[in-house]
Amino acid sequence: MIGIDLGTTNSVVAYLRAGQAEVIANSEGAKTTPSVVFYETLDTPLVGELAKRQLLLRPDRTVRSVKRLMGRRYSEAKDNLAKLPYPTRPSADDEIRILIDNGELSPEKVSCDILRKMRATAADFLGEESAQAVVTVPAHFNDSQRQATKHAAEQAGIEVLRIINEPTAAALAYGLRKQKAERVAVFDFGGGTFDISILELDEDVFEVRSTNGDTELGGDNIDELLSEAIAGWILKETGVDPGVDVGARQRIREAAEQAKCELSSLASTVVSLPFIVAGPRGPHHFSREIQRPEFEALVRPVLDRLKEPCARALSDGGLRRADIHSVILVGGSTRIPAVQQIVREFFGLEPNKSVNPDEAVALGAAIQAAVLSGEIEEVLLLDVTPLSLGIEVEGGVFRVLIPRNSSIPTAVKRRFTTTRDNQENVDVHALQGERSAAAENRSLAHLRLSGVAPSPAEVPEIEVSFAIDANGILSVSATDLTSGAQKEMIVESYRPAGEQEAERLAAEAEAQAEQDREFLRRVGRRQAALATQRAIAAFMESSGELITEEDGAALRQGLFRLDVAVHADNQEAVAETRAALLEIAQKYPEFLQAGRPSVEQVE
Ligand code: AMP
């Protein structure tokens, strides 16, 4: 059994030898394998260092950073896709297709080719086909991204024992056999993503308290900013824009990444790009020194984005900065001194560098594989789900069933009811996100329960259950408790379901909190109005003979006015008419006695 860290930039495979996790070197002798695939033809993928070299020569056939595209919709990733050196297009159901050599590839297929190489690396070294693995993903990956990763591994012939979160894996590598109670933050800043997780290590129990991050923030963003600056300098110096030539762009990017890495250990470096552009008077050579402070100022916008997720992880875990005992650095980008400075300033601690930032995740995955096989017995890993999961209820409101940062595996059941008489079908719309308005969250699936026993609105009891397994993968079921009708599904990778769908993570949710509150207030007023309308109509029908003629006329008029006000969304008129109606109805004790069931409603 092996552990695989499928990274944005590099991938690593590890195994357990005599109780210790160790990284396995690939056929080129390197412990990390660039997550880059070159396609001479679609059937001959070349993975790793050799493919990385092709980035310069054949950028149109070489795929890098594919992890950023995993499990994402074309419409979501459009901006990133436009920057790639090869063309992409959406499939019929909005999946991403990479166009190479007159054929097309999915991001999953590219990841599958990388995973095949990792599997072969392990097989060559161990002398046997190890087909079982623990594979890691960023803690902040949503359900579709996890599913896509799992499918990619399965296509590569790997039996996925478990998908675990990268920071959790790193904490395992850090804390195994430490026999110490500690609260640690794992600060994982890699090529494509940033994750921050807070864990309680208590001897051999590893419990994740909270996790946060940004799936769109990594060393790649730093390379981009520096590349833009270099391209700008070249344009200024030569009058020729290097951005129009794919080859020149790629060379600038390579030079930017190299300069960035050098500036982690040197105070200054020189970017040198001979023959970078050709002007009317021949080729130009570009060379310029960059000092570390200049670099830091250039990439400040990226560095500043690291703090917000840290603050959210702390507040979600109900913790203060001073409650953290150690900060473990993981991911290549934590080598940047300015990143370490942010950790120092934010947590008031010297970051802990006792684990190798490139290897920790794979080592932890191998440890988890050994735990699952019983080879290591003493570890209990309790992970959490990074985003809230729930369903859409009446009024387009998102009702959370499993809040973010709940320990997994977990299962939750809730009862809902119908809104229309004799409703035979109930559509359970499962979503993931932090916004109050369902349409602002990411739609995962629609589950249609048919065969609901015919009854008046609000009578049926529909039990909706959500379960997340240890891989973080969700299954949803709905049962009509009267007819026994049941529908269940494992939420496979996403399906497009409506135009308004958008993924908004916690950051945006917080920024939009006031808008969300206003949305809830509006829905609340509307629902209160509708409930009043229903209750009065039902009362008039059942107890008409008790109501005086005058009140009856006033109620009928009031109901009409309320209906108009609700449809016109005239909040003032709604509140006024509703109050007037209730004033009349509440004179009758029978009205007050006819309590309505207060179950939530699902449409
Ligand atoms: P990972 O995803 O953990 O493999 O991290 C890869 C990222 O780390 C890439 O963006 C690399 O450019 C970056 N990286 C690797 N080494 C260094 C270094 N010495 N200084 C700065 N960034 C680095």
Side-chain angles (χ1 to χ4, degrees):
M1 286 183 189
I2 52 176
I4 302 176
D5 167 12
L6 177 63
T8 310
T9 327
N10 293 301
S11 295
V12 184
V13 56
Y15 79 122
L16 201 81
R17 182 163 78 173
Q20 294 293 331
E22 271 182 32
V23 168
I24 303 174
N26 62 23
S27 50
E28 293 87 45
K31 287 185 166 179
T32 60
T33 302
S35 304
V36 182
V37 190
F38 168 67
Y39 292 93
E40 177 70 56
T41 69
L42 288 188
D43 303 326
T44 52
L46 180 66
V47 179
E49 195 50 50
L50 294 173
K52 197 174 173 186
R53 285 187 212 152
Q54 299 294 328
L55 275 172
L56 278 182
L57 305 168
R58 309 290 298 278
D60 56 324
R61 289 188 181 215
T62 315
V63 183
R64 63 181 288 168
S65 298
V66 78
K67 187 169 167 181
R68 286 191 150 183
L69 308 181
M70 289 289 280
R72 301 192 56 118
R73 267 160 251 194
Y74 184 86
S75 48
E76 282 173 345
K78 237 185 350 229
D79 294 346
N80 284 343
L81 293 170
K83 292 188 207 143
L84 298 174
Y86 37 79
T88 54
R89 68 166 189 80
S91 71
D93 44 5
D94 201 24
E95 285 174 4
I96 298 168
R97 293 286 176 266
I98 299 167
L99 307 180
I100 282 179
D101 186 29
N102 296 327
E104 54 176 53
L105 285 166
S106 64
E108 274 183 38
K109 169 68 172 60
V110 180
S111 287
C112 164
D113 289 332
I114 299 168
L115 285 161
R116 272 213 181 94
K117 162 96 177 173
M118 303 319 289
R119 182 185 161 192
T121 294
D124 288 348
F125 179 82
L126 300 170
E128 56 187 291
E129 274 293 321
S130 49
Q132 291 184 314
V134 168
V135 181
T136 59
V137 293
H140 230 66
F141 256 23
N142 66 28
D143 199 69
S144 321
Q145 293 166 308
R146 284 166 200 269
Q147 283 284 357
T149 306
K150 191 159 178 255
H151 285 161
E154 284 162 2
Q155 281 167 29
I158 293 168
E159 185 193 330
V160 180
L161 294 170
R162 186 72 61 88
I163 298 278
I164 66 169
N165 293 335
E166 287 161 10
T168 315
L172 267 178
Y174 164 84
L176 185 70
R177 307 207 178 90
K178 268 222 164 74
Q179 301 293 338
K180 196 169 141 196
E182 234 189 321
R183 190 174 301 114
V184 303
V186 177
F187 187 100
D188 180 357
F189 189 29
T193 54
F194 171 55
D195 271 338
I196 175 87
S197 296
I198 296 172
L199 291 97
E200 304 273 354
L201 314 189
D202 190 359
E203 302 211 340
D204 298 313
V205 179
F206 290 68
E207 182 174 9
V208 182
R209 280 280 288 258
S210 62
T211 182
N212 216 292
D214 189 336
T215 44
E216 298 282 323
L217 182 63
D220 284 356
N221 301 69
I222 295 179
D223 300 345
E224 255 163 49
L225 282 183
L226 191 55
S227 302
E228 276 167 27
I230 296 173
W233 294 328
I234 293 173
L235 175 62
K236 206 165 154 208
E237 210 176 283
T238 66
V240 183
D241 180 5
V244 293
D245 173 11
V246 176
R249 270 211 314 262
Q250 190 55 44
R251 280 180 62 204
I252 292 173
R253 209 188 150 103
E254 296 268 316
E257 186 180 0
Q258 195 187 339
K260 169 189 77 174
C261 292
E262 285 171 6
L263 286 169
S264 292
S265 43
L266 303 172
S268 77
T269 183
V270 175
V271 177
S272 172
L273 289 158
F275 303 102
I276 187 66
V277 286
R281 277 171 300 155
H284 289 283
H285 310 296
F286 174 80
S287 174
R288 187 183 189 282
E289 185 177 23
I290 306 176
Q291 306 278 349
R292 197 188 274 169
E294 184 184 18
F295 163 76
E296 290 175 353
L298 268 174
V299 302
R300 183 56 51 191
V302 171
L303 301 181
D304 282 342
R305 284 168 61 194
L306 293 165
K307 293 178 196 157
E308 183 70 36
C310 295
R312 280 200 305 267
L314 281 176
S315 78
D316 281 355
L319 298 167
R320 288 162 309 147
R321 297 173 193 204
D323 295 328
I324 305 296
H325 302 124
S326 313
V327 183
I328 306 163
L329 298 184
V330 184
S333 302
T334 58
R335 292 208 174 89
I336 298 173
V339 170
Q340 298 176 9
Q341 187 55 26
I342 285 183
V343 170
R344 253 178 235 117
E345 281 165 15
F346 188 89
F347 291 99
L349 285 173
E350 191 51 38
N352 181 305
K353 297 180 198 158
S354 66
V355 296
N356 178 327
D358 299 324
E359 297 179 0
V361 171
L363 295 175
I367 293 170
Q368 178 65 20
V371 170
L372 291 174
S373 72
E375 221 173 312
I376 295 182
E377 279 176 357
E378 66 269 26
V379 180
L380 177 62
L381 189 62
L382 300 170
D383 216 329
V384 297
T385 179
L387 293 167
S388 302
L389 291 155
I391 66 169
E392 178 173 354
V393 295
E394 202 189 5
V397 172
F398 178 54
R399 176 83 64 230
V400 171
L401 271 77
I402 301 177
R404 74 165 186 265
N405 286 321
S406 299
S407 286
I408 57 170
T410 183
V412 169
K413 283 188 181 147
R414 288 264 186 292
R415 286 189 191 173
F416 296 88
T417 188
T418 53
T419 51
R420 282 178 280 117
D421 291 340
N422 297 321
Q423 194 174 322
E424 282 175 23
N425 300 309
V426 169
D427 177 26
V428 177
H429 183 195
L431 302 111
Q432 189 170 32
E434 310 305 327
R435 301 292 304 272
S436 306
E440 301 290 330
N441 290 316
R442 181 180 235 276
S443 170
L444 293 175
H446 283 268
L447 185 88
R448 196 170 175 80
L449 176 68
S450 33
V452 174
S455 8
E458 299 186 15
V459 171
E461 288 189 279
I462 312 288
E463 188 171 79
V464 175
S465 63
F466 270 41
I468 307 181
D469 69 11
N471 298 318
I473 287 169
L474 173 73
S475 49
V476 178
S477 76
T479 312
D480 174 12
L481 296 181
T482 311
S483 72
Q486 194 182 33
K487 188 81 180 264
E488 191 173 351
M489 73 195 290
I490 292 182
V491 179
E492 285 293 328
S493 54
Y494 65 81
R495 297 169 186 197
E499 300 150 24
Q500 293 170 322
E501 247 175 55
E503 184 189 13
R504 302 259 157 66
L505 302 181
E508 284 144 329
E510 239 151 74
Q512 316 274 5
E514 182 44 44
Q515 205 179 319
D516 277 9
R517 278 193 289 276
E518 180 46 37
F519 168 79
L520 287 179
R521 281 196 288 269
R522 210 174 58 235
V523 173
R525 286 191 292 258
R526 188 185 154 88
Q527 283 184 340
L530 294 174
T532 307
Q533 225 174 9
R534 277 197 299 268
I536 289 179
F539 171 60
M540 287 170 77
E541 204 179 310
S542 63
S543 318
E545 70 289 351
L546 300 172
I547 305 172
T548 67
E549 209 165 300
E550 193 189 344
D551 284 348
L555 286 175
R556 270 189 298 278
Q557 273 181 22
L559 282 180
F560 177 73
R561 276 206 300 278
L562 187 60
D563 206 46
V564 172
V566 164
H567 280 99
D569 206 18
N570 180 345
Q571 300 295 342
E572 236 169 79
V574 167
E576 229 170 73
T577 333
R578 180 168 170 259
L581 276 168
L582 285 173
E583 200 182 309
I584 303 170
Q586 282 168 355
K587 291 196 294 199
Y588 298 87
E590 292 80 1
F591 174 74
L592 296 172
Q593 281 154 14
R596 310 283 296 174
S598 62
V599 267
E600 291 170 281
Q601 294 168 343
V602 56
E603 168 72 343

